[in-house]
Amino acid sequence: MSKILFSHSYYYKLDPKQWKNKSPYPPLGTLYAASLMRSKGYKVNLFDTNLLDSPRAIQTKLKQEKFQYLVIYDDGFNYLTKMCLTNMRDACFEMIHIGKQNNCTVIVSSSDATDHYDLYLQNGADYIIQGEGEITLAELIHSLENKNPIESVKGVVFTKEDQVQVNPPRPVLQDLDELPLPAWDLININAYKEIWDQGTQEFTLNIATTRGCPYKCNWCAKPIYGNRYNAHSPEYIVNEIIYLQNEFGVKRFWMCDDIFGLKPNWVQEFNRKLQKRNVQIRYFIQSRVDLLLKEDTIDALAASGLEEVWVGAESASQKILDAMDKGTKVSEIYDATHLLKQKNIRVAFFLQFGYLTETQEDIQKTIRMVKELLPDNIGISVSYPLPGTKFYEKVKNDLQLKANWKDSDDLDVMFQSTYSSNYYRKLQRFVHKEYRKSQGFYHIKTLFQSRITLLKLKAIAKLIYYIPSTLLDKIILKILQNGR
Protein backbone atom coordinates (compact mmCIF):
# COMPACT_ATOMS: atom_id res chain seq x y z
CA MET A 1 0.00 0.00 0.00
CA SER A 2 0.99 3.66 -0.30
CA LYS A 3 3.49 5.31 2.01
CA ILE A 4 2.41 8.20 4.22
CA LEU A 5 4.78 10.68 5.84
CA PHE A 6 3.14 12.25 8.89
CA SER A 7 4.37 15.55 10.21
CA HIS A 8 3.02 18.65 11.95
CA SER A 9 3.83 22.37 11.98
CA TYR A 10 4.73 23.21 15.56
CA TYR A 11 8.41 24.06 16.14
CA TYR A 12 9.36 24.80 19.75
CA LYS A 13 12.42 26.71 18.57
CA LEU A 14 10.18 29.11 16.63
CA ASP A 15 8.37 29.88 19.90
CA PRO A 16 11.20 31.18 22.15
CA LYS A 17 9.11 31.33 25.33
CA GLN A 18 8.14 27.66 25.05
CA TRP A 19 11.62 26.52 23.98
CA LYS A 20 13.08 28.27 27.03
CA ASN A 21 10.85 26.16 29.30
CA LYS A 22 12.68 22.97 28.18
CA SER A 23 9.55 20.86 28.54
CA PRO A 24 8.48 19.78 25.02
CA TYR A 25 5.76 17.21 24.47
CA PRO A 26 5.51 14.81 21.50
CA PRO A 27 2.74 15.53 18.94
CA LEU A 28 0.08 13.29 20.45
CA GLY A 29 -2.67 14.06 17.94
CA THR A 30 -0.32 13.20 15.09
CA LEU A 31 0.52 9.88 16.75
CA TYR A 32 -3.16 8.93 16.97
CA ALA A 33 -3.65 9.55 13.25
CA ALA A 34 -0.48 7.66 12.29
CA SER A 35 -1.50 4.71 14.44
CA LEU A 36 -4.94 4.46 12.84
CA MET A 37 -3.53 4.57 9.31
CA ARG A 38 -0.94 1.94 10.18
CA SER A 39 -3.69 -0.30 11.53
CA LYS A 40 -5.34 -0.07 8.10
CA GLY A 41 -2.25 -1.41 6.39
CA TYR A 42 -0.54 1.76 5.20
CA LYS A 43 3.19 2.24 5.60
CA VAL A 44 3.63 5.24 7.89
CA ASN A 45 6.59 7.29 8.98
CA LEU A 46 6.88 10.40 11.15
CA PHE A 47 8.87 13.57 10.60
CA ASP A 48 8.64 15.17 14.05
CA THR A 49 9.25 18.92 13.81
CA ASN A 50 9.01 19.78 17.52
CA LEU A 51 12.75 19.94 18.21
CA LEU A 52 13.93 21.11 14.79
CA ASP A 53 15.16 24.52 13.64
CA SER A 54 13.50 24.90 10.27
CA PRO A 55 10.77 23.42 8.05
CA ARG A 56 13.38 23.03 5.31
CA ALA A 57 14.68 19.95 7.14
CA ILE A 58 11.80 17.91 5.71
CA GLN A 59 13.35 18.24 2.25
CA THR A 60 15.99 15.62 3.05
CA LYS A 61 13.40 13.14 4.33
CA LEU A 62 11.23 13.48 1.25
CA LYS A 63 14.21 13.03 -1.07
CA GLN A 64 15.50 9.95 0.79
CA GLU A 65 12.20 8.09 0.48
CA LYS A 66 9.31 8.30 -1.92
CA PHE A 67 6.05 9.08 -0.15
CA GLN A 68 2.71 9.29 -1.91
CA TYR A 69 1.19 11.43 0.86
CA LEU A 70 2.50 14.16 3.14
CA VAL A 71 0.02 14.57 6.00
CA ILE A 72 0.69 17.68 8.10
CA TYR A 73 -1.44 16.74 11.08
CA ASP A 74 -1.11 19.14 13.99
CA ASP A 75 -1.49 18.06 17.60
CA GLY A 76 -4.98 19.23 18.54
CA PHE A 77 -4.28 18.44 22.20
CA ASN A 78 -1.59 21.13 22.33
CA TYR A 79 -3.27 24.46 23.12
CA LEU A 80 -0.43 26.26 21.32
CA THR A 81 -1.64 24.91 17.98
CA LYS A 82 -5.12 26.27 18.68
CA MET A 83 -3.61 29.77 18.94
CA CYS A 84 -2.76 29.74 15.21
CA LEU A 85 0.64 31.41 15.66
CA THR A 86 1.93 32.98 12.45
CA ASN A 87 5.42 31.51 12.89
CA MET A 88 3.88 28.04 12.67
CA ARG A 89 1.52 28.96 9.85
CA ASP A 90 4.47 30.17 7.76
CA ALA A 91 6.37 26.97 8.59
CA CYS A 92 3.41 24.90 7.43
CA PHE A 93 3.20 26.81 4.15
CA GLU A 94 6.87 26.08 3.51
CA MET A 95 6.34 22.38 4.28
CA ILE A 96 3.42 22.30 1.84
CA HIS A 97 5.59 23.80 -0.92
CA ILE A 98 8.36 21.27 -0.27
CA GLY A 99 5.84 18.42 -0.27
CA LYS A 100 4.47 19.47 -3.64
CA GLN A 101 8.00 19.81 -5.06
CA ASN A 102 8.49 16.16 -4.11
CA ASN A 103 5.29 15.02 -5.84
CA CYS A 104 3.30 14.35 -2.66
CA THR A 105 -0.42 14.73 -2.23
CA VAL A 106 -0.48 17.17 0.69
CA ILE A 107 -3.20 16.89 3.34
CA VAL A 108 -3.41 19.35 6.25
CA SER A 109 -5.31 18.93 9.52
CA SER A 110 -5.03 21.73 12.09
CA SER A 111 -6.96 24.36 14.00
CA ASP A 112 -5.62 27.11 11.78
CA ALA A 113 -6.35 25.20 8.57
CA THR A 114 -9.87 24.48 9.81
CA ASP A 115 -10.46 28.20 10.38
CA HIS A 116 -8.49 29.49 7.35
CA TYR A 117 -8.67 26.67 4.81
CA ASP A 118 -8.54 29.16 1.92
CA LEU A 119 -5.01 30.29 2.90
CA TYR A 120 -3.75 26.72 2.96
CA LEU A 121 -5.32 25.83 -0.37
CA GLN A 122 -3.81 28.97 -1.91
CA ASN A 123 -0.39 27.81 -0.65
CA GLY A 124 -0.66 24.47 -2.41
CA ALA A 125 -2.39 22.06 -0.02
CA ASP A 126 -4.51 19.51 -1.86
CA TYR A 127 -6.95 18.73 0.93
CA ILE A 128 -7.86 20.33 4.27
CA ILE A 129 -9.42 18.26 7.04
CA GLN A 130 -11.77 20.27 9.21
CA GLY A 131 -12.35 19.24 12.81
CA GLU A 132 -11.48 15.85 14.29
CA GLY A 133 -9.34 14.17 11.68
CA GLU A 134 -8.54 10.46 12.07
CA ILE A 135 -11.66 8.92 10.52
CA THR A 136 -11.81 11.63 7.86
CA LEU A 137 -8.18 11.02 6.93
CA ALA A 138 -8.75 7.28 6.62
CA GLU A 139 -11.78 7.78 4.35
CA LEU A 140 -10.03 10.46 2.29
CA ILE A 141 -6.95 8.38 1.52
CA HIS A 142 -9.08 5.29 0.87
CA SER A 143 -11.10 7.33 -1.65
CA LEU A 144 -7.96 8.68 -3.30
CA GLU A 145 -6.42 5.22 -3.53
CA ASN A 146 -9.57 3.80 -5.10
CA LYS A 147 -10.34 6.87 -7.23
CA ASN A 148 -13.69 7.37 -5.51
CA PRO A 149 -15.34 10.82 -5.49
CA ILE A 150 -14.09 13.05 -2.66
CA GLU A 151 -17.41 14.90 -2.48
CA SER A 152 -18.81 12.14 -0.27
CA VAL A 153 -16.05 12.40 2.37
CA LYS A 154 -17.33 14.46 5.29
CA GLY A 155 -14.99 17.00 6.87
CA VAL A 156 -12.87 17.73 3.78
CA VAL A 157 -12.23 20.98 1.91
CA PHE A 158 -10.57 20.97 -1.52
CA THR A 159 -10.48 22.78 -4.82
CA LYS A 160 -12.43 21.44 -7.79
CA GLU A 161 -12.48 23.21 -11.14
CA ASP A 162 -11.02 26.35 -9.51
CA GLN A 163 -13.83 26.41 -6.96
CA VAL A 164 -13.42 25.68 -3.25
CA GLN A 165 -15.55 22.69 -2.25
CA VAL A 166 -16.49 22.53 1.46
CA ASN A 167 -17.95 19.13 2.32
CA PRO A 168 -20.43 18.72 5.20
CA PRO A 169 -18.83 18.43 8.66
CA ARG A 170 -18.14 15.07 10.25
CA PRO A 171 -19.75 14.22 13.60
CA VAL A 172 -17.20 13.85 16.39
CA LEU A 173 -16.09 10.35 17.37
CA GLN A 174 -17.99 9.18 20.44
CA ASP A 175 -16.32 5.86 21.25
CA LEU A 176 -12.68 6.93 21.57
CA ASP A 177 -11.61 3.40 22.45
CA GLU A 178 -12.15 2.50 18.78
CA LEU A 179 -8.80 4.15 18.12
CA PRO A 180 -5.62 2.13 18.58
CA LEU A 181 -3.07 3.42 21.08
CA PRO A 182 -1.00 6.32 19.68
CA ALA A 183 2.07 5.29 17.67
CA TRP A 184 4.52 6.16 20.44
CA ASP A 185 7.19 3.98 18.82
CA LEU A 186 7.58 6.58 16.05
CA ILE A 187 8.91 9.14 18.53
CA ASN A 188 12.56 9.55 19.50
CA ILE A 189 11.84 9.67 23.23
CA ASN A 190 15.50 10.07 24.15
CA ALA A 191 15.68 13.34 22.18
CA TYR A 192 12.83 14.68 24.33
CA LYS A 193 14.45 13.42 27.54
CA GLU A 194 17.65 15.25 26.67
CA ILE A 195 15.79 18.56 26.41
CA TRP A 196 13.92 17.96 29.68
CA ASP A 197 17.24 17.16 31.37
CA GLN A 198 18.41 20.68 30.48
CA GLY A 199 15.49 22.15 32.44
CA THR A 200 14.34 21.90 36.03
CA GLN A 201 11.42 19.47 35.72
CA GLU A 202 11.23 15.70 35.66
CA PHE A 203 10.61 14.16 32.24
CA THR A 204 6.89 13.97 31.54
CA LEU A 205 4.78 12.53 28.72
CA ASN A 206 1.38 13.74 27.55
CA ILE A 207 -1.80 11.65 27.57
CA ALA A 208 -5.31 12.64 26.46
CA THR A 209 -8.14 10.89 28.28
CA THR A 210 -10.91 12.96 26.65
CA ARG A 211 -11.80 15.13 23.68
CA GLY A 212 -13.78 18.34 23.66
CA CYS A 213 -15.24 20.61 26.31
CA PRO A 214 -18.95 21.24 26.97
CA TYR A 215 -18.47 24.60 28.69
CA LYS A 216 -19.24 27.87 26.92
CA CYS A 217 -16.40 30.27 27.81
CA ASN A 218 -16.89 32.75 24.99
CA TRP A 219 -13.19 33.35 24.29
CA CYS A 220 -12.25 29.67 23.95
CA ALA A 221 -12.26 28.16 20.46
CA LYS A 222 -12.85 24.46 19.85
CA PRO A 223 -12.10 24.01 16.13
CA ILE A 224 -11.04 20.37 16.38
CA TYR A 225 -13.09 18.57 19.03
CA GLY A 226 -15.96 21.00 19.51
CA ASN A 227 -18.35 21.46 22.43
CA ARG A 228 -19.00 17.73 22.78
CA TYR A 229 -17.22 15.83 25.53
CA ASN A 230 -16.18 12.22 24.97
CA ALA A 231 -13.85 10.09 27.07
CA HIS A 232 -11.64 7.05 26.73
CA SER A 233 -12.45 4.33 29.23
CA PRO A 234 -10.26 4.28 32.36
CA GLU A 235 -9.05 0.82 31.23
CA TYR A 236 -7.79 2.21 27.88
CA ILE A 237 -5.83 4.93 29.66
CA VAL A 238 -4.37 2.56 32.26
CA ASN A 239 -3.24 0.25 29.44
CA GLU A 240 -1.53 3.19 27.73
CA ILE A 241 0.18 4.21 30.98
CA ILE A 242 1.47 0.67 31.53
CA TYR A 243 2.81 0.59 27.97
CA LEU A 244 4.63 3.91 28.40
CA GLN A 245 6.07 2.85 31.75
CA ASN A 246 7.34 -0.45 30.36
CA GLU A 247 8.71 0.98 27.10
CA PHE A 248 10.13 4.31 28.24
CA GLY A 249 10.28 4.20 32.04
CA VAL A 250 7.96 7.20 32.37
CA LYS A 251 6.68 7.96 35.86
CA ARG A 252 5.07 11.37 35.41
CA PHE A 253 2.28 12.38 33.01
CA TRP A 254 0.54 15.51 31.78
CA MET A 255 -3.13 14.77 31.22
CA CYS A 256 -3.61 17.32 28.47
CA ASP A 257 -7.42 17.27 28.37
CA ASP A 258 -9.22 20.62 28.32
CA ILE A 259 -11.17 19.31 31.31
CA PHE A 260 -9.99 16.19 33.13
CA GLY A 261 -12.46 13.84 34.79
CA LEU A 262 -15.74 15.55 33.94
CA LYS A 263 -17.60 12.33 33.19
CA PRO A 264 -19.38 11.15 36.39
CA ASN A 265 -17.41 8.55 38.35
CA TRP A 266 -14.58 8.49 35.77
CA VAL A 267 -11.90 9.66 38.20
CA GLN A 268 -13.04 7.20 40.85
CA GLU A 269 -12.99 4.29 38.37
CA PHE A 270 -9.59 5.40 37.06
CA ASN A 271 -8.22 5.28 40.60
CA ARG A 272 -9.68 1.79 41.17
CA LYS A 273 -8.13 0.50 37.91
CA LEU A 274 -4.72 1.86 38.89
CA GLN A 275 -4.91 0.28 42.35
CA LYS A 276 -6.14 -3.06 41.01
CA ARG A 277 -3.20 -3.32 38.59
CA ASN A 278 -0.74 -1.90 41.11
CA VAL A 279 0.19 1.02 38.84
CA GLN A 280 1.74 4.03 40.51
CA ILE A 281 1.98 7.34 38.68
CA ARG A 282 2.28 11.04 39.31
CA TYR A 283 0.40 13.41 37.05
CA PHE A 284 -1.03 16.88 36.61
CA ILE A 285 -4.20 18.12 34.94
CA GLN A 286 -6.40 21.02 33.89
CA SER A 287 -9.78 21.39 35.54
CA ARG A 288 -12.43 23.84 36.71
CA VAL A 289 -12.89 25.06 40.26
CA ASP A 290 -16.60 24.22 40.32
CA LEU A 291 -15.92 20.69 39.08
CA LEU A 292 -13.25 20.08 41.72
CA LEU A 293 -15.72 20.90 44.49
CA LYS A 294 -18.08 18.07 43.52
CA GLU A 295 -18.43 15.05 45.82
CA ASP A 296 -15.19 13.15 46.48
CA THR A 297 -13.42 14.23 43.29
CA ILE A 298 -10.34 15.69 44.98
CA ASP A 299 -10.00 12.65 47.27
CA ALA A 300 -10.00 10.30 44.27
CA LEU A 301 -7.57 12.51 42.37
CA ALA A 302 -5.16 12.58 45.29
CA ALA A 303 -5.36 8.80 45.76
CA SER A 304 -4.61 8.18 42.07
CA GLY A 305 -1.40 10.22 42.09
CA LEU A 306 -2.41 13.79 41.19
CA GLU A 307 0.39 16.24 41.98
CA GLU A 308 -0.87 19.48 40.48
CA VAL A 309 -3.98 20.95 38.92
CA TRP A 310 -4.13 24.00 36.65
CA VAL A 311 -7.45 25.81 36.95
CA GLY A 312 -8.84 28.52 34.72
CA ALA A 313 -9.19 31.14 37.43
CA GLU A 314 -8.92 33.90 34.77
CA SER A 315 -9.98 36.81 37.03
CA ALA A 316 -11.02 37.67 40.58
CA SER A 317 -13.70 39.98 39.24
CA GLN A 318 -17.10 38.33 39.07
CA LYS A 319 -18.07 40.93 36.49
CA ILE A 320 -15.32 39.72 34.15
CA LEU A 321 -16.05 36.02 34.76
CA ASP A 322 -19.69 36.63 33.89
CA ALA A 323 -18.76 38.62 30.79
CA MET A 324 -16.62 35.66 29.69
CA ASP A 325 -19.56 33.24 30.25
CA LYS A 326 -17.13 31.36 32.46
CA GLY A 327 -19.83 29.82 34.64
CA THR A 328 -17.72 29.94 37.82
CA LYS A 329 -17.70 32.12 40.93
CA VAL A 330 -14.75 33.87 42.55
CA SER A 331 -15.69 32.17 45.83
CA GLU A 332 -15.21 28.78 44.14
CA ILE A 333 -11.63 29.71 43.23
CA TYR A 334 -10.94 30.34 46.92
CA ASP A 335 -12.76 27.20 48.11
CA ALA A 336 -11.10 24.86 45.59
CA THR A 337 -7.64 26.30 46.27
CA HIS A 338 -7.97 25.80 50.03
CA LEU A 339 -9.26 22.25 49.58
CA LEU A 340 -6.51 21.26 47.14
CA LYS A 341 -3.84 22.60 49.47
CA GLN A 342 -5.33 20.62 52.36
CA LYS A 343 -4.83 17.48 50.27
CA ASN A 344 -1.23 18.51 49.45
CA ILE A 345 -2.09 18.95 45.76
CA ARG A 346 -0.34 21.83 44.06
CA VAL A 347 -2.68 24.36 42.49
CA ALA A 348 -1.82 26.69 39.61
CA PHE A 349 -3.84 29.52 38.07
CA PHE A 350 -4.39 30.50 34.46
CA LEU A 351 -5.01 34.27 34.55
CA GLN A 352 -6.26 36.49 31.75
CA PHE A 353 -6.08 40.26 31.55
CA GLY A 354 -7.42 42.68 28.99
CA TYR A 355 -10.93 41.31 28.49
CA LEU A 356 -13.55 43.77 27.29
CA THR A 357 -14.76 46.24 29.96
CA GLU A 358 -11.90 45.33 32.34
CA THR A 359 -11.07 48.21 34.69
CA GLN A 360 -8.23 48.97 37.05
CA GLU A 361 -10.44 47.76 39.91
CA ASP A 362 -10.84 44.37 38.20
CA ILE A 363 -7.08 44.10 37.68
CA GLN A 364 -6.34 44.90 41.31
CA LYS A 365 -8.86 42.29 42.50
CA THR A 366 -7.01 39.61 40.54
CA ILE A 367 -3.63 40.69 41.89
CA ARG A 368 -4.99 40.61 45.46
CA MET A 369 -6.38 37.12 44.91
CA VAL A 370 -3.00 35.85 43.76
CA LYS A 371 -1.27 37.38 46.80
CA GLU A 372 -3.90 36.03 49.20
CA LEU A 373 -4.17 32.48 47.85
CA LEU A 374 -0.51 32.09 46.81
CA PRO A 375 -1.01 29.34 44.21
CA ASP A 376 1.99 27.16 43.46
CA ASN A 377 2.29 28.60 39.96
CA ILE A 378 0.61 31.10 37.64
CA GLY A 379 0.33 31.48 33.89
CA ILE A 380 -0.68 34.90 32.58
CA SER A 381 -1.95 35.94 29.18
CA VAL A 382 -4.01 38.70 27.66
CA SER A 383 -7.32 38.10 25.94
CA TYR A 384 -6.75 36.68 22.47
CA PRO A 385 -9.57 36.50 19.91
CA LEU A 386 -9.76 33.10 18.26
CA PRO A 387 -11.95 32.48 15.18
CA GLY A 388 -15.24 30.80 15.90
CA THR A 389 -15.76 32.41 19.31
CA LYS A 390 -18.30 34.98 20.47
CA PHE A 391 -15.41 37.08 21.71
CA TYR A 392 -13.88 37.09 18.21
CA GLU A 393 -17.17 38.26 16.72
CA LYS A 394 -17.27 41.15 19.20
CA VAL A 395 -13.82 42.46 18.30
CA LYS A 396 -13.22 41.25 14.73
CA ASN A 397 -13.60 44.74 13.27
CA ASP A 398 -10.51 45.78 15.27
CA LEU A 399 -8.38 42.99 13.74
CA GLN A 400 -7.65 44.59 10.39
CA LEU A 401 -3.88 45.02 10.83
CA LYS A 402 -3.16 41.95 12.96
CA ALA A 403 -5.30 38.92 13.72
CA ASN A 404 -2.76 36.40 15.09
CA TRP A 405 0.21 36.41 17.42
CA LYS A 406 3.63 35.60 15.99
CA ASP A 407 4.50 33.35 18.97
CA SER A 408 3.04 32.64 22.39
CA ASP A 409 4.96 35.51 24.04
CA ASP A 410 3.61 38.12 21.63
CA LEU A 411 0.93 39.42 24.05
CA ASP A 412 -0.24 42.03 21.58
CA VAL A 413 -3.75 43.32 22.31
CA MET A 414 -5.27 43.22 18.84
CA PHE A 415 -8.57 44.93 19.69
CA GLN A 416 -9.66 48.11 21.43
CA SER A 417 -9.11 47.23 25.08
CA THR A 418 -8.95 49.46 28.16
CA TYR A 419 -5.17 49.83 27.99
CA SER A 420 -2.40 49.49 25.42
CA SER A 421 -0.39 46.38 24.53
CA ASN A 422 2.63 47.87 26.29
CA TYR A 423 0.61 48.23 29.47
CA TYR A 424 -0.52 44.60 29.45
CA ARG A 425 2.98 43.32 28.64
CA LYS A 426 4.35 45.22 31.62
CA LEU A 427 1.39 44.09 33.76
CA GLN A 428 2.11 40.45 32.96
CA ARG A 429 5.70 40.82 34.20
CA PHE A 430 4.62 42.89 37.19
CA VAL A 431 2.09 40.31 38.41
CA HIS A 432 4.71 37.58 38.17
CA LYS A 433 7.06 39.69 40.28
CA GLU A 434 4.36 40.52 42.83
CA TYR A 435 3.61 36.82 43.04
CA ARG A 436 7.25 35.91 43.64
CA LYS A 437 7.59 38.73 46.17
CA SER A 438 4.55 37.45 48.08
CA GLN A 439 6.04 33.96 48.09
CA GLY A 440 9.25 35.32 49.58
CA PHE A 441 7.41 37.11 52.40
CA TYR A 442 5.35 33.98 53.08
CA HIS A 443 8.50 31.89 53.43
CA ILE A 444 9.94 34.41 55.89
CA LYS A 445 6.81 34.17 58.06
CA THR A 446 6.79 30.36 58.00
CA LEU A 447 10.53 29.74 57.87
CA PHE A 448 10.71 27.83 61.15
CA GLN A 449 7.29 26.18 60.99
CA SER A 450 8.49 23.41 58.67
CA ARG A 451 11.69 22.04 57.18
CA ILE A 452 14.00 24.72 55.81
CA THR A 453 14.78 24.03 52.16
CA LEU A 454 17.08 25.56 49.58
CA LEU A 455 13.99 26.50 47.54
CA LYS A 456 12.61 28.58 50.43
CA LEU A 457 15.92 30.29 51.03
CA LYS A 458 16.23 31.18 47.35
CA ALA A 459 12.70 32.65 47.34
CA ILE A 460 13.62 34.82 50.34
CA ALA A 461 16.94 35.91 48.83
CA LYS A 462 15.22 37.01 45.61
CA LEU A 463 13.29 39.64 47.56
CA ILE A 464 16.39 41.80 47.15
CA TYR A 465 15.47 41.98 43.45
CA TYR A 466 11.67 41.81 43.54
CA ILE A 467 11.02 44.59 46.10
CA PRO A 468 12.69 47.44 44.17
CA SER A 469 11.70 45.95 40.82
CA THR A 470 7.97 45.93 41.61
CA LEU A 471 8.16 49.49 42.92
CA LEU A 472 9.67 50.61 39.62
CA ASP A 473 7.10 48.62 37.63
CA LYS A 474 4.27 50.33 39.55
CA ILE A 475 5.53 53.69 38.43
CA ILE A 476 5.85 52.57 34.82
CA LEU A 477 2.36 50.98 34.87
CA LYS A 478 0.89 54.22 36.24
CA ILE A 479 2.45 56.15 33.37
CA LEU A 480 1.20 53.62 30.80
CA GLN A 481 -2.22 53.56 32.45
CA ASN A 482 -2.62 57.32 32.17
CA GLY A 483 -1.35 57.24 28.60
CA ARG A 484 -3.80 54.40 27.79
Side-chain angles (χ1 to χ4, degrees), residues 241-257:
I241 288 170
I242 292 172
Y243 169 81
L244 293 173
Q245 285 186 333
N246 291 339
E247 291 295 316
F248 307 120
V250 187
K251 298 178 181 177
R252 188 169 185 260
F253 298 91
W254 160 230
M255 304 301 191
C256 56
D257 314 48

Side-chain angles (χ1 to χ4, degrees), residues 52-90:
L52 301 180
D53 297 295
S54 165
R56 290 187 295 276
I58 199 172
Q59 179 82 265
T60 302
K61 183 71 174 179
L62 290 172
K63 286 187 177 300
Q64 286 175 345
E65 300 181 54
K66 182 175 176 58
F67 294 94
Q68 284 71 44
Y69 301 96
L70 170 61
V71 178
I72 304 174
Y73 196 107
D74 277 2
D75 179 13
F77 302 109
N78 181 351
Y79 78 95
L80 296 164
T81 68
K82 190 164 66 175
M83 294 174 71
C84 308
L85 304 170
T86 57
N87 273 354
M88 311 311 165
R89 176 188 289 173
D90 292 342

Side-chain angles (χ1 to χ4, degrees), residues 23 74 264 406 429 438:
S23 54
D74 277 2
K406 179 181 178 183
R429 274 96 178 147
S438 298

